[in-house]
Amino acid sequence: MTTTTKHDLVSVITEDHRAFERIFQELESGKGGDQHRKDLADHVIAELVRHSIAEEQHMYPAARKHLPDGDEVADHEIEEHAEAERVMNDLIGLDPSDKRFDELVGKLIEDVRHHIEEEESDLLPKLQAACSPEDLRELGEKVLRAKEIAPTRPHPAAPDRPPANRILAPGTAFIDKIRDALAGRAT
């Protein structure tokens, strides 16, 4: 079995997953007022979008290249991303006092937890076995760089496969960051 380093693909992806879980637990706790819950939801949406885009740009193409069932696995993961993006898109702009807010937050948490479980029990171990430690480090670094310039809001109609997603993501991210600044939302 391949060992992991701080910035290899497996470590980068699972570190994000643990961060999502911490936010999910805080959202589920019901602690804090409406504004706090809205801020948490906005923050997790921004981070999920950045994470998803980085996976679509680098991890899923690696799955297609290195795994015998890579196309099937990547297509399934991308489909799950699309569903989560639709939920996030519906959630953005909702006031926490709206009954749909908690319903959509619950659906998002459920969907993302399912996705995390699949990635950690299936895709990541397969990639770890199929890729060299150097490839995994390179992929981890690429994912980290991609997250830095990725959009912060869901764009369900945006392309989710290279090369189109790599070309459009930086421009979309720029617009999202302007929108975030105007809305007073730090990401």
Side-chain angles (χ1 to χ4, degrees):
M1 174 175 269
T2 306
T3 58
T4 61
T5 61
K6 183 175 177 158
H7 294 295
D8 81 340
L9 178 69
V10 175
S11 298
V12 168
I13 298 297
T14 56
E15 185 177 301
D16 281 357
H17 291 170
R18 298 298 84 76
F20 299 148
E21 184 57 35
R22 287 189 294 276
I23 296 168
F24 293 163
Q25 288 174 0
E26 189 168 349
L27 279 165
E28 290 172 326
S29 77
K31 294 178 183 172
D34 281 354
Q35 188 58 52
H36 177 68
R37 296 182 70 249
K38 176 68 173 152
D39 291 345
L40 281 175
D42 287 347
H43 175 70
V44 81
I45 286 170
E47 293 306 314
L48 284 166
V49 168
R50 291 158 46 137
H51 175 88
S52 296
I53 287 172
E55 286 183 336
E56 290 168 6
Q57 288 179 347
H58 300 291
M59 186 165 78
Y60 300 152
R64 291 179 194 284
K65 178 180 176 182
H66 295 287
L67 304 179
D69 62 345
D71 286 335
E72 180 183 321
V73 170
D75 289 345
H76 174 74
E77 299 296 331
I78 289 169
E79 187 176 311
E80 287 187 346
H81 281 190
E83 174 58 29
E85 278 191 61
R86 286 188 288 274
V87 174
M88 289 185 280
N89 199 48
D90 290 345
L91 187 56
I92 285 184
L94 272 186
D95 190 87
S97 63
D98 185 315
K99 68 178 179 144
R100 290 188 60 226
F101 182 86
D102 286 331
E103 183 181 304
L104 289 170
V105 165
K107 171 90 171 108
L108 181 62
I109 290 171
E110 178 184 331
D111 290 351
V112 172
R113 281 181 174 152
H114 168 79
H115 181 75
I116 287 170
E117 171 61 29
E118 282 186 350
E119 278 188 353
E120 291 186 10
S121 67
D122 185 45
L123 178 56
L124 290 174
K126 284 180 178 177
L127 281 172
Q128 197 169 27
C131 296
S132 71
E134 295 78 23
D135 287 341
L136 292 170
R137 276 192 299 278
E138 183 179 323
L139 283 166
E141 293 295 332
K142 285 179 178 180
V143 165
L144 288 172
R145 284 192 302 273
K147 284 175 47 181
E148 289 175 5
I149 61 169
T152 59
R153 295 170 183 251
H155 297 276
D160 50 24
R161 293 183 187 206
N165 65 349
R166 289 185 185 158
I167 294 167
L168 295 176
T172 305
F174 178 71
I175 292 166
D176 285 354
K177 288 177 191 334
I178 290 171
R179 289 172 65 198
D180 292 343
L182 291 173
R185 190 174 119 187
T187 54

